[in-house]
Amino acid sequence: MDELWTDAELEKAIQAYFKMIKYEKESTPYIKAEVNRLLQKELPQRSHKSIEYRWQNISSVLHDKNMKFIDGFKPKKNVGSSVKERIWRIINNLNLINEE
């Protein structure tokens, strides 16, 4: 089991996730595996699978809020409430939600 992610690590994962959402909104081609590889360089202690799992947690938070999430990262069903709260707080602190 991975060690608990720090808020700084979560922030980097969330920023990468929202970069992919932006690419999708703009119909900009991108490769999820490449975004993951770049993030691994910033978070060398986290594996490819660990990052994908975290992205599925982010999808779960967005799904719970009836917001669009990345199809390639289906929402995890059993995300702890404290993890969800941390993710949502960071999303809000980074002002990543555009109310449309």
Side-chain angles (χ1 to χ4, degrees):
M1 174 94 179
D2 279 333
E3 292 291 317
L4 184 67
W5 282 52
T6 66
D7 281 358
E9 289 173 318
L10 281 175
E11 186 174 311
K12 287 180 187 288
I14 290 166
Q15 288 172 324
Y17 187 99
F18 275 82
K19 185 183 296 184
M20 291 184 286
I21 287 179
K22 183 175 186 262
Y23 291 154
E24 289 186 1
K25 273 186 178 176
E26 296 171 349
S27 300
T28 302
Y30 73 99
I31 300 169
K32 292 176 183 108
E34 182 59 27
V35 176
N36 191 313
R37 269 191 295 283
L38 291 172
L39 185 55
Q40 282 180 61
K41 289 180 181 182
E42 293 184 56
L43 304 174
Q45 66 281 20
R46 301 297 176 192
S47 69
H48 183 92
K49 285 284 186 200
S50 177
I51 290 169
E52 283 191 350
Y53 188 88
R54 193 55 60 194
W55 284 342
Q56 288 178 288
N57 289 167
I58 296 165
S59 290
S60 180
V61 170
L62 295 176
H63 179 262
D64 287 354
K65 303 285 185 183
N66 295 315
M67 301 174 76
K68 174 149 177 41
F69 58 87
I70 298 172
D71 285 334
F73 302 111
K74 296 294 181 202
K76 282 286 180 196
K77 294 193 185 314
N78 298 318
V79 182
S81 61
S82 65
V83 172
K84 283 186 174 186
E85 288 169 11
R86 288 175 64 211
I87 290 170
W88 186 242
R89 178 178 41 80
I90 292 168
I91 288 170
N92 281 307
N93 287 348
L94 294 172
N95 295 312
L96 293 170
I97 301 302
N98 296 325
E99 299 295 331
E100 297 176 0

